[in-house]
Amino acid sequence: MRSASRQYVTGLTKAARQLEGSVHQVLDSSDCFTRSSATNAALQQEAVSSKLVYAVSGAPQHDRQPHPETAKRVPAILAALERTGVTSSDHADKLRLLQQPRTATIDEITAVHDLEYIQQLKDTADNNSPTVVADFDDPDGFTYMTSTSFDDALKASGGALALVDAVVYASKQRSTTGEVPAGYSIARPPGHHATANQSMGFCLLNNVAIAARYAQQHHGLKKVMILDWDVHHGNGTNDLFYDDDSVLMIDMHEDGVWPGSGLLNDTGTGRGQGHTINIPMPIGSGDAAARLAFDKIIQPAAIRFQPNIILISAGYDAHWRDPLEKLNFYSSTYHFLTRRVKQLSNKLCGGRLVLLMEGGYSLQGLSESVSESFLALLGEPSHHQPDTDVVEPMDAVWKRIAEIRKLHGLEQGTR
C-alpha cells in the first residue's frame, strides 16, 4: 500500500511545472468553478435553483474500433435523453448544462496519481499513439490511448471537479433555496480501475478519487462516501483509500469476475479498517438484490459514517443487456439506486451528490439507464418497466447480505 506517496503534492517541482504548462494553462488557485469560464460562473448562480447540473465530455477521438468502450457511448446517451425529454430545454427550471468543463490541473491529479505516471500518459499520447497500454490479453478489451486520450482524461477529471464546485456552492445557499442540485458527469474515459501508477480496465485517471481528494482539500469536506455500482470492482479506488478512514468506499459488483478483487473480507487496513465495504453479488442477481443491498447495507453504512459529500462511480454494466458480465439489473433499477442515494445525500450531507459515469457497454442498456438516473434526480418517475424475466438467486443473495451485515456490524448499527 502506498502512504506518503498517495498524499497531496503541495509543491510541484520544476519538471512538474513544465509538464503542467505543456498540458494546459496554469490555473489560479482560487475557486475552480468560478475560474473555469465566464459561462460556468453564470451557471454557478443558476445552479442554485436547479435540481441537476451535468457536464458532457464525449472524447470522440479517444476511440479504437471494435472496442466496448467506444466513442459511440456518449452520443447514444444524449440521444436517449433527447427522446426521453430530459434536456436543459425541456427542463429549463430544473436542469443546467455545464458548458465547456475545464481540464484538471497536474496539481489536482497528483493528489492521487504519481507524477511519473502522469508524465508517462502524456508522453504516450504525444509520441506513441494509438497504442495499447494495458490489459493486452483481456478478452473483453484492452486499455488503449490515442493522441487525444491524455487531454480527454484531464477533461473528464476537470468536469467532475467543476461539478463538485457547483454542488458545494449550491449547498451553501440552501437556506435561501431549500434545494441542492446533484451533479452528473457524462464523460469518458472512465476511471475507477486506474491506480496511482497504472492504467487498466479502460481507465487512465481515477476521476472519482481525484474528486474525493479535491472535495476534501479545496472545500474542507472531510468525510467522503464513494459508492461504486459498476459490475466490476473499482480496484483502483479501493487501493487508493484502503488505509484511509476519511473515505467510506462501498462497492457493489458481480462476484468472481475481472479484475478479481473486491472480496467480501477485504475491509481496509490500518486506520482504514472497516471503511471498505465490498458487496460481491452472486451471478444472476438483479433488481431485487440491488434493492436489498441498498436497504440492508448501503443505507445503514452511510448513516453510520455521516459523510459530508457522496460521490458515485456510476457504471451501468450490471444491466441485463450488457455483453460483458452476468448481473441482471433493469434500466429502472438505476432509477431506484439514484433516487435513494439522492435521498441519502439530502438527509446526511446537505444534498451534496455527484455521479460520475463509469462502465456500460450495451448502448441501449447504458443510454436507458443514464436517462433513468437523470429522471430520478429531477424527481420524475421511471420511464422503463422491467423488460425481461429474471429469476434471481435470492437464497444466495440473502446469505451474502447477512454475511456482510455481520462482518461490518450493521446488524446492530455498530462496527
Side-chain angles (χ1 to χ4, degrees):
M1 297 301 298
R2 300 168 70 246
S3 55
S5 61
R6 196 183 296 147
Q7 297 174 358
Y8 182 70
V9 178
T10 56
L12 292 176
T13 64
K14 180 179 180 181
R17 292 190 182 279
Q18 292 172 344
L19 171 60
E20 183 172 25
S22 68
V23 175
H24 54 266
Q25 182 179 2
V26 177
L27 298 177
D28 182 80
S29 61
S30 60
D31 185 279
C32 295
F33 186 71
T34 58
R35 59 185 160 92
S36 58
S37 70
T39 302
N40 291 341
L43 178 67
Q44 187 178 26
Q45 299 293 334
E46 296 174 359
V48 174
S49 60
S50 65
K51 287 182 175 292
L52 174 59
V53 182
Y54 70 107
V56 178
S57 184
Q61 302 305 313
H62 176 72
D63 195 31
R64 186 160 175 170
Q65 297 293 334
H67 194 281
E69 209 293 285
T70 170
K72 296 177 183 178
R73 296 175 70 221
V74 170
I77 292 168
L78 298 180
L81 292 175
E82 188 77 30
R83 289 193 303 271
T84 309
V86 183
T87 66
S88 53
S89 58
D90 295 310
H91 294 274
D93 59 331
K94 297 181 179 181
L95 188 60
R96 296 288 186 271
L97 173 63
L98 181 67
Q99 301 287 347
Q100 298 178 339
R102 67 175 180 87
T103 59
T105 68
I106 301 304
D107 194 8
E108 290 159 349
I109 60 178
T110 50
V112 299
H113 290 292
D114 293 348
L115 183 60
E116 183 179 358
Y117 170 64
I118 298 167
Q119 179 70 68
Q120 179 186 4
L121 288 179
K122 185 178 186 304
D123 288 346
T124 300
D126 289 346
N127 304 312
N128 193 30
S129 62
T131 189
V132 176
V133 295
D135 310 305
F136 296 89
D137 299 321
D138 190 329
D140 292 333
F142 44 72
T143 300
Y144 66 88
M145 289 188 71
T146 69
S147 61
T148 68
S149 295
F150 182 60
D151 286 340
D152 291 331
L154 289 173
K155 291 175 183 176
S157 294
L161 303 187
L163 289 169
V164 169
D165 288 330
V167 168
V168 171
Y169 177 85
S171 72
K172 294 177 180 178
Q173 312 302 314
R174 185 175 184 177
S175 60
T176 57
T177 66
E179 185 72 38
V180 175
Y184 195 109
S185 175
I186 306 174
R188 47 183 299 275
H192 70 150
H193 294 305
T195 70
N197 57 15
Q198 182 179 354
S199 55
M200 62 183 295
F202 316 156
C203 301
L204 302 179
L205 297 177
N206 196 310
N207 303 316
V208 75
I210 293 168
R213 282 293 184 239
Y214 180 83
Q216 291 177 324
Q217 294 166 351
H218 290 261
H219 291 293
L221 302 177
K222 296 181 180 179
K223 299 174 70 175
V224 179
M225 171 178 158
I226 299 174
L227 171 60
D228 188 326
W229 64 52
D230 191 279
V231 77
H232 302 105
H233 177 246
N235 61 290
T237 314
N238 176 96
D239 291 352
L240 287 162
F241 300 117
Y242 201 63
D243 59 359
D244 189 337
D245 63 354
S246 72
V247 176
L248 174 65
M249 171 66 179
I250 305 179
D251 198 302
M252 180 169 60
H253 53 274
E254 184 176 341
D255 191 15
V257 299
W258 187 95
S261 52
L263 303 182
L264 182 149
N265 290 320
D266 292 342
T267 59
T269 189
R271 294 181 62 182
Q273 178 65 45
H275 287 77
T276 293
I277 301 178
N278 284 310
I279 311 174
M281 305 288 274
I283 186 171
S285 298
D287 183 83
R291 291 170 181 261
L292 188 65
F294 197 97
D295 288 340
K296 299 297 185 181
I297 299 173
I298 297 169
Q299 178 167 291
I303 292 172
R304 182 173 66 187
F305 182 66
Q306 293 289 306
N308 302 122
I309 188 170
I310 299 176
L311 305 176
I312 309 295
S313 273
Y316 296 90
D317 40 5
H319 195 283
W320 72 268
R321 292 184 183 275
D322 202 90
L324 297 192
E325 306 300 350
K326 296 180 180 179
L327 292 188
N328 288 310
F329 290 9
Y330 300 128
S331 299
S332 57
T333 304
Y334 294 103
H335 188 282
F336 166 82
L337 291 171
T338 307
R339 176 174 57 84
R340 291 293 298 276
V341 80
K342 179 55 179 170
Q343 291 172 351
L344 267 183
S345 74
N346 289 341
K347 178 179 181 180
L348 300 178
C349 52
R352 292 183 288 270
L353 171 68
V354 177
L355 296 88
L356 310 179
M357 188 179 77
E358 299 284 2
Y361 307 107
S362 160
L363 295 183
Q364 180 177 348
L366 171 67
S367 58
E368 287 181 1
S369 299
V370 174
S371 297
E372 287 290 292
S373 286
F374 268 56
L375 288 166
L377 294 171
L378 292 171
E380 301 288 339
S382 171
H383 284 198
H384 293 91
Q385 297 300 316
D387 49 3
T388 189
D389 292 328
V390 172
V391 179
E392 299 185 46
M394 292 308 296
D395 287 346
V397 170
W398 272 103
K399 181 179 179 181
R400 180 57 49 83
I401 296 297
E403 290 174 330
I404 297 168
R405 282 170 58 82
K406 182 177 181 180
L407 178 65
H408 288 278
L410 295 171
E411 294 171 309
Q412 303 298 327
T414 59
R415 195 178 303 280

